[in-house]
Amino acid sequence: MPKYYFAVASQKFFLEEEPIEEVLREKTYYYSTIQKPIDFWLVLNPKFLDKPEISKLKDKIKQPAAAIISTNPTFINWIKLRIGYVLTGQVEETDLKNLLAEAA
């Protein structure tokens, strides 16, 4: 089963207090220059936080939450070091669509 890595924080933190849009835009531009496919996504109110093995993190984050998900653990670690005040983890998921789903 594929592993995905994530950094999660409140939407307010990611979207208003930190320049995450700029960081992701720069990473997207860099990937395009080296012709690498995008391996990260920003998900608002991620449904995967309700999984039993991850739900304890949800209690530590002001809601609504947002997550940056990637197949690259080094990128998620870099996000944690660059931005701070995020919680990180990993999740196994067979269907990327399920992982990127927003909670109702």
Side-chain angles (χ1 to χ4, degrees), residues 34-79:
I34 63 170
Q35 298 180 343
K36 180 177 178 174
I38 300 297
D39 63 356
F40 60 90
W41 303 267
L42 175 66
V43 180
L44 303 179
N45 200 23
K47 186 176 181 179
F48 77 88
L49 290 178
D50 292 329
K51 287 186 169 209
E53 66 272 19
I54 299 172
S55 62
K56 63 184 178 222
L57 289 178
K58 188 175 182 178
D59 297 335
K60 297 178 181 181
I61 301 164
K62 289 184 180 178
Q63 298 299 314
I68 298 170
I69 303 167
S70 179
T71 58
N72 182 343
T74 304
F75 175 58
I76 295 301
N77 189 50
W78 181 83
I79 289 286

Side-chain angles (χ1 to χ4, degrees), residues 69-95:
I69 303 167
S70 179
T71 58
N72 182 343
T74 304
F75 175 58
I76 295 301
N77 189 50
W78 181 83
I79 289 286
K80 182 176 175 102
L81 295 172
R82 165 72 170 77
I83 299 199
Y85 303 110
V86 299
L87 299 175
T88 59
Q90 65 185 32
V91 63
E92 292 184 355
E93 180 62 61
T94 55
D95 187 358

